[in-house]
């Protein structure tokens, strides 16, 4: 199983980190060891002084394929979740400045939080509200209508390069409002009004 992630997929978030709006999806991957075990707290790693949350909608591939056409892409996932793409922002900034790959900042153990999955049938995927609170205060408030690349765009693009298999996950990008987590913070994620997970930082 692999985890494909999209960076800079919300214009306001790209701007808050000083990045241009991309012409193609910015793609990176996390290994399966990045998934935080269900019910675990997140432990701040020793190698970073600046771990950021990034709340994202996550797709689970239900039908594999390669060179999937955009018009057929919706048939390749049935369920969605919310997740956090934890990012060591200090490390990422150093890597970006040198033009180096991001894995050390993005793919470490526990960096991929994934909630339980829900059927996509109950939701309007082009107009999906999702939000994150930190210590009960709203810090991120996204709507999938603001994505630069839609779920179908991402599947079509990524599957040109990587064969998608059943069970693969796609993190579809974070809206603006990313920020640091500190010990004892409590993160809670909501899809529309429904809470999908809460997570304690240690
Ligand atoms: Mg992200």
């Amino acid at each position: 199983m692999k985890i494909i992630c999209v960076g800079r997929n919300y214009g306001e978030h790209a701007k808050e980190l000083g990045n241009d709006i991309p012409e193609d999806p910015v793609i990176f991957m996390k290994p399966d060891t990045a998934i935080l075990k269900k019910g675990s707290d997140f432990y701040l790693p020793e190698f970073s002084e600046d771990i950021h949350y990034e709340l994202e909608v996550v797709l689970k591939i239900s039908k594999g394929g390669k060179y999937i056409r955009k018009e057929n892409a919706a048939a390749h996932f049935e369920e969605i979740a919310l997740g956090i793409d934890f990012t060591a922002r200090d490390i990422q900034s150093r890597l970006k400045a040198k033009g180096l790959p991001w894995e050390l900042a993005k793919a470490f153990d526990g960096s991929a939080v994934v909630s339980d999955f829900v059927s996509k049938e109950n939701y309007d995927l082009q107009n999906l509200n999702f939000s994150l609170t930190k210590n009960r205060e709203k810090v991120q408030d996204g709507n999938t209508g603001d994505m630069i690349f839609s779920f179908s765009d991402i599947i079509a693009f990524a599957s040109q390069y990587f064969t998608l298999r059943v069970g693969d996950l796609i993190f579809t990008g974070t809206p603006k409002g990313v920020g640091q987590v500190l010990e004892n913070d409590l993160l809670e994620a909501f899809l529309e009004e429904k809470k999908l997970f809460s997570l304690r930082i240690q």
Side-chain angles (χ1 to χ4, degrees):
M1 186 274 267
K2 59 186 171 295
I3 306 168
I4 295 171
C5 305
V6 183
R8 304 175 189 167
N9 201 23
Y10 288 80
E12 292 298 315
H13 167 65
K15 278 192 223 159
E16 76 182 342
L17 294 183
N19 296 307
D20 293 334
I21 304 295
E23 289 175 15
D24 285 322
V26 174
I27 301 286
F28 59 94
M29 303 234 254
K30 296 176 188 258
D32 58 4
T33 45
I35 290 188
L36 187 70
K37 196 164 158 274
K38 275 262 143 63
S40 290
D41 294 342
F42 175 82
Y43 284 79
L44 292 165
E46 288 173 6
F47 49 72
S48 173
E49 300 300 319
D50 193 18
I51 297 290
H52 277 202
Y53 55 79
E54 295 189 357
L55 180 68
E56 312 203 359
V57 177
V58 181
L59 316 180
K60 188 199 281 180
I61 296 298
S62 57
K63 181 178 153 194
K66 185 163 173 71
Y67 293 114
I68 296 165
R69 295 160 68 100
K70 184 179 171 183
E71 56 267 36
N72 299 330
H76 288 261
F77 68 100
E78 301 299 329
E79 294 181 307
I80 60 174
L82 290 179
I84 293 186
D85 164 24
F86 273 120
T87 302
R89 195 70 72 200
D90 45 356
I91 296 175
Q92 189 195 29
S93 297
R94 291 201 291 273
L95 295 170
K96 276 165 67 176
K98 294 180 186 168
L100 293 172
W102 294 357
E103 276 80 358
L104 295 179
K106 288 282 199 182
F108 54 87
D109 288 358
S111 63
V113 177
V114 185
S115 74
D116 288 335
F117 282 82
V118 297
S119 169
K120 71 175 184 181
E121 299 305 327
N122 304 326
Y123 297 97
D124 176 358
L125 297 183
Q126 275 81 47
N127 181 24
L128 200 56
N129 293 300
F130 60 108
S131 62
L132 184 73
T133 64
K134 185 172 86 168
N135 305 328
R136 317 256 182 225
E137 267 183 47
K138 195 175 279 190
V139 287
Q140 283 192 286
D141 199 0
N143 182 287
T144 54
D146 296 326
M147 289 192 298
I148 298 167
F149 300 103
S150 68
F151 297 154
S152 292
D153 288 331
I154 296 165
I155 288 171
F157 181 83
S159 71
Q160 294 177 64
Y161 297 82
F162 314 115
T163 298
L164 298 185
R165 292 202 171 125
V166 174
D168 287 348
L169 302 181
I170 302 181
F171 277 64
T172 58
T174 197
K176 74 171 187 310
V178 301
Q180 190 179 20
V181 285
L182 298 172
E183 199 174 339
N184 287 321
D185 281 347
L186 177 68
L187 299 178
E188 295 174 287
F190 298 84
L191 184 61
E192 302 293 351
E193 303 306 313
K194 186 181 163 72
K195 180 155 87 173
L196 289 195
F197 69 82
S198 61
L199 179 65
R200 181 69 69 179
I201 309 300
Q202 300 284 3

